[in-house]
Amino acid sequence: MCGIIGYVGKKPASEILIDGLKTLEYRGYDSSGLYISGEKRIRSVGGVNNLYKKLPKGMKGTCGIAHTRWATHGKPSEKNSHPHTGTSGYIFVVHNGIIENYIDLKNNLKKQGSKFSSETDSEVIAHLIEKQIDEGSTFEESVVNTLKVIKGAYGIAVMNKREPEKIIAAQKGSPIVLGIGDNEYFIASDVSAIVKHTKTVLYINDGECLVITPTSHNIFTIDLKTCKRKPEKISWNTERVKKGGYKHFMLKEIMEAPEVLKNSVRGRLLPETGNAKLGGLETITDKLTTIKRIIIVGCGSAYYAGLVGKLYFEEIAGIPTEVEIASEYRYRTIPLNKETMILAISQSGETADTLSCINEAKAKGCSTIGVVNVVGSSIARAVDAGVYNHAGPEIGVASTKAFISQLEVLLLIALYIGRKKNVSSSEGKNIINEINKLPKKIELVLAQAKKIELIAKKYSDSKDFLYIGRKYSYPIAFEGALKLKEVSYIHAEGYGAGEMKHGPIAMIDKQFPSIAIIPNDTVYEKTFSNIEEIRARDGKVIAITTKGDKKIPTIANEVIEVPKTIELIYPILTTVVLQLFAYYVGVHRGLNVDRPRNLAKSVTVE
Ligand code: F6R
């Protein structure tokens, strides 16, 4: 949450910083600000465009830092926007994360005469650094000593008016990446913000600091030990983070589904043997075939992907599996042993709660694996082994393409383990055959976008929605409801279809539509009865079912069909229908579906 960008080199920094902030807006967009050497600090409430409008023409400074905010402490306002300064105003700090002991630090600093001007936790960093410089420490020493007293998570970038061509950055729990150009350096919370300038990058590790000037970069630990690491080349291009003619990133990313589903399994399918080839898991294959229990951790959509993964692991790999919301897991006392494996699912690879589950599990001697989309992200680097999604950058705040690729990758992992245990070659071949047909089938779902849009429009004034499903469609009911909540702000609840009569059916009336996910699977008849129960109470039903189904149209008010496939794969097809539905409801309500209010793409605070 919150995005940081910094530049030092020969070019005017303002354009680079604004451009980078626009890319980082997905991390937070309630206010923004920047400081450029030789200029005044400028801050603004609202999106980055508001900041841009406030910039004076012809800013020439060639070193600067900027920040786009997702408020944690204090409302979105100009005074709470970053960069923050100390009392004398010569230190500028941008911060991503949360300083947990800021109240004590602030009270202490106040007693010593510091004057605070914001309600943020971040401002203490500027005061602490400034105070030490005032007392005779160097800029570097002051930053390092400050890092020793603050508790919590941070990615920071700091400038000092008195050393105008230098930026000091540091990270603990909130990533900072260094981009290396030709006599110029960039820092950012995410490579997407700098990829158009350089493809040579260096990821900073937790507990490390970085100093950049136009001609040098130096990484060291907070104990001032130099760290030598080779830069990496990244293979991104800027096109991948543009809208490509679509009105919204969300629609573009939903429409990318066929390509995403190909990319997530490219080179990973062995159709002749009915097996999966997962290079990222080879080092722990023996372990995977002997473990007795898997605990999947994730948040939001990633958690719902985990609920589908649980069914895959139990059915295909024969391993008892639990799924935990990461923010709950980390505070519970869960008996763990060496035969338990923790699997983290995360699109961004930066979700603070999920990352801390991994660190906790490692400390207890468990093996850890990750299903992560962003290459080189904190979770990807923390786990023992893992499988990247290769879904490409996901910019829309609500997860769409990453979610379906998480399901596909989880299916492959289950197959990979299952084939080493009880799954026969012919069962494996059947799964792989269906995975190979998936992109074409998804195209048939996407081709119904117009029809889904009309249904969405018809129901877009509803105040509530219920989403129901069983077995593989049960987690998809949650995911569908979450998507609608996020982009339309309509209240929606996911429920196990069989649970309806244990309470929620009391809410059903003419005004309360339900979305029933009822493909032709092993629980079809049971879900059908639940639809009858809703219709008997005058509730409207939008049903998502398998193409050619004759019974559903006799009972549901609206029917959307997905092509026939195997039970394991229906959740991927039905999810895409629900993503389109949520998208169009949001659009018809006139909302910014790419950047829903109060949300951010990367949740790096606990
Ligand atoms: C929902 C959504 C969130 C994320 C959650 C986890 O559309 O995007 O619920 O799924 O914040 O994020 P990652 O996967 O980055 O760990």
Side-chain angles (χ1 to χ4, degrees):
M1 287 181 144
C2 303
I4 292 175
I5 171 116
Y7 172 77
V8 57
K10 299 265 172 290
K11 297 177 195 141
S14 60
E15 210 174 296
I16 294 168
L17 298 182
I18 291 288
D19 195 62
L21 280 189
K22 283 187 180 159
T23 309
L24 293 171
E25 265 187 308
Y26 74 86
R27 303 173 70 94
Y29 34 79
D30 56 44
S31 52
S32 57
L34 55 74
Y35 170 70
I36 293 175
S37 51
E39 309 278 353
K40 284 206 174 90
R41 164 179 66 166
I42 302 165
R43 300 181 293 173
S44 168
V45 176
V48 174
N49 262 334
N50 292 2
L51 177 69
Y52 177 65
K53 285 183 202 145
K54 283 180 91 174
L55 299 191
K57 292 249 166 338
M59 291 175 97
K60 291 205 172 58
T62 55
C63 180
I65 52 176
H67 184 268
T68 178
R69 180 169 186 247
W70 185 85
T72 58
H73 296 65
K75 283 201 172 94
S77 66
E78 203 170 306
K79 70 174 184 163
N80 287 332
S81 310
H82 301 219
H84 289 290
T85 61
T87 311
S88 311
Y90 64 90
I91 288 296
F92 298 87
V93 173
V94 290
H95 167 229
N96 173 14
I98 289 182
I99 305 305
E100 286 163 2
N101 57 340
Y102 88 100
I103 294 179
D104 291 346
L105 293 171
K106 190 169 174 172
N107 289 339
N108 253 333
L109 284 158
K110 274 182 173 171
K111 277 186 207 143
Q112 295 170 53
S114 296
K115 300 258 176 303
F116 280 78
S117 56
S118 80
E119 300 154 282
T120 67
D121 54 334
S122 313
E123 192 183 341
V124 292
I125 304 173
H127 285 275
L128 286 166
I129 295 171
E130 192 190 86
K131 196 165 174 311
Q132 291 171 79
I133 296 179
D134 286 348
E135 286 165 4
S137 299
T138 64
F139 185 18
E140 281 83 348
E141 285 163 355
S142 309
V143 172
V144 160
N145 290 333
T146 297
L147 300 180
K148 288 181 182 159
V149 298
I150 57 178
K151 293 203 178 100
Y154 54 80
I156 56 165
V158 192
M159 281 181 70
N160 178 353
K161 235 182 200 171
R162 299 167 182 171
E163 298 186 47
E165 297 233 295
K166 184 186 278 184
I167 299 173
I168 305 184
Q171 92 156 54
K172 188 177 153 220
S174 274
I176 296 284
V177 60
L178 167 69
I180 304 173
D182 199 7
N183 281 333
E184 57 181 1
Y185 290 96
F186 307 81
I187 51 157
S189 312
D190 172 342
V191 280
S192 64
I194 55 176
V195 68
K196 78 190 258 193
H197 305 289
T198 178
K199 300 221 165 25
T200 309
V201 303
L202 238 165
Y203 292 96
I204 310 306
N205 291 330
D206 275 358
E208 289 179 351
C209 302
L210 164 75
V211 179
I212 49 174
T213 69
T215 50
S216 64
H217 72 278
N218 182 15
I219 303 177
F220 51 91
T221 64
I222 55 170
D223 304 316
L224 299 176
K225 291 201 182 84
T226 302
C227 311
K228 290 260 172 261
R229 269 202 311 280
K230 284 212 175 104
E232 302 173 26
K233 286 275 176 204
I234 45 163
S235 57
W236 281 42
N237 63 47
T238 42
E239 278 315 302
R240 297 177 75 191
V241 290
K242 287 190 181 150
K243 281 188 200 152
Y246 287 99
K247 203 166 160 217
H248 296 104
F249 280 112
M250 184 175 176
L251 184 60
K252 174 185 175 244
E253 288 162 3
I254 296 172
M255 291 297 176
E256 279 171 6
E259 205 48 38
V260 167
L261 293 168
K262 279 184 217 158
N263 289 341
S264 294
V265 298
R266 200 180 296 285
R268 292 171 167 173
L269 301 179
L270 300 172
E272 299 80 27
T273 54
N275 216 330
K277 182 174 182 298
L278 294 171
L281 297 185
E282 268 161 20
T283 51
I284 55 153
T285 302
D286 290 344
K287 186 116 209 175
L288 279 172
T289 48
T290 52
I291 45 159
K292 299 271 184 296
R293 175 184 177 216
I294 296 176
I295 302 179
I296 301 179
V297 290
C299 300
S301 293
Y303 167 73
Y304 298 141
L307 292 178
V308 178
K310 166 186 163 73
L311 301 179
Y312 289 153
F313 288 127
E314 290 178 348
E315 187 169 335
I316 307 169
I319 305 174
T321 304
E322 294 149 46
V323 195
E324 300 287 342
I325 295 170
S327 54
E328 288 296 321
Y329 168 91
R330 59 185 297 200
Y331 298 109
R332 285 176 44 205
T333 312
I334 300 183
L336 296 174
N337 56 37
K338 294 207 165 17
E339 290 172 324
T340 303
M341 178 166 282
I342 307 292
L343 187 156
I345 305 176
S346 177
Q347 186 286 129
S348 61
E350 300 298 346
T351 302
D353 285 314
T354 312
L355 178 61
S356 71
C357 293
I358 289 296
N359 291 334
E360 180 74 22
K362 280 167 70 174
K364 290 189 174 143
C366 293
S367 305
T368 55
I369 57 176
V371 173
V372 173
N373 191 34
V374 178
V375 176
S377 55
S378 303
I379 295 175
R381 285 180 285 138
V383 287
D384 298 325
V387 184
Y388 279 120
N389 292 103
H390 296 313
E394 190 178 65
I395 308 297
V397 165
S399 185
T400 54
K401 63 177 181 174
F403 179 80
I404 55 167
S405 102
Q406 283 161 352
L407 301 191
E408 196 182 36
V409 166
L410 289 165
L411 177 56
L412 271 201
I413 299 175
L415 177 65
Y416 180 80
I417 306 172
R419 281 291 283 123
K420 293 182 176 35
K421 297 167 83 182
N422 295 332
V423 174
S424 69
S425 151
S426 68
E427 283 171 279
K429 282 180 189 167
N430 187 31
I431 295 173
I432 288 189
N433 192 18
E434 283 301 319
I435 292 177
N436 271 328
K437 289 183 189 156
L438 193 46
K440 280 260 164 302
K441 292 186 179 177
I442 286 283
E443 277 172 21
L444 296 173
V445 173
L446 296 173
Q448 299 178 76
K450 199 79 226 152
K451 174 179 177 177
I452 297 170
E453 181 177 5
L454 290 175
I455 299 175
K457 198 171 169 186
K458 188 164 158 189
Y459 289 84
S460 60
D461 286 336
S462 306
K463 299 236 171 340
D464 310 273
F465 273 91
L466 199 63
Y467 284 64
I468 57 164
R470 282 172 184 256
K471 202 174 177 184
Y472 281 100
S473 300
Y474 168 60
I476 303 308
F478 291 109
E479 173 58 12
L482 176 62
K483 216 81 321 173
L484 190 73
K485 284 185 263 205
E486 285 178 295
V487 302
S488 75
Y489 314 152
I490 295 176
H491 165 245
E493 270 189 74
Y495 246 92
E499 275 287 290
M500 283 289 294
K501 46 187 157 307
H502 298 286
I505 201 158
M507 299 185 290
I508 295 297
D509 63 16
K510 277 192 191 119
Q511 320 301 333
F512 197 138
S514 301
I515 298 203
I517 308 150
I518 175 166
N520 199 343
D521 57 12
T522 51
V523 287
Y524 174 90
E525 294 299 341
K526 300 276 176 220
T527 313
F528 193 85
S529 308
N530 303 131
I531 296 179
E532 301 243 37
E533 288 154 12
I534 295 173
R535 294 295 292 127
R537 283 149 186 90
D538 281 338
K540 301 235 165 47
V541 172
I542 302 167
I544 301 161
T545 190
T546 305
K547 188 169 171 47
D549 188 291
K550 297 275 184 296
K551 276 168 62 179
I552 299 287
T554 64
I555 184 163
N557 301 78
E558 322 286 345
V559 182
I560 304 164
E561 293 181 336
V562 299
K564 187 170 167 32
T565 182
I566 53 174
E567 184 168 68
L568 302 168
I569 286 186
Y570 275 124
I572 300 180
L573 293 176
T574 54
T575 294
V576 174
V577 175
L578 299 178
Q579 291 173 349
L580 282 170
F581 181 79
Y583 170 77
Y584 286 119
V585 174
V587 168
H588 281 289
R589 289 168 72 97
L591 300 172
N592 182 349
V593 292
D594 278 344
R595 296 195 337 200
R597 69 182 178 205
N598 306 338
L599 295 180
K601 184 74 183 157
S602 190
V603 185
T604 54
V605 293
E606 292 158 24

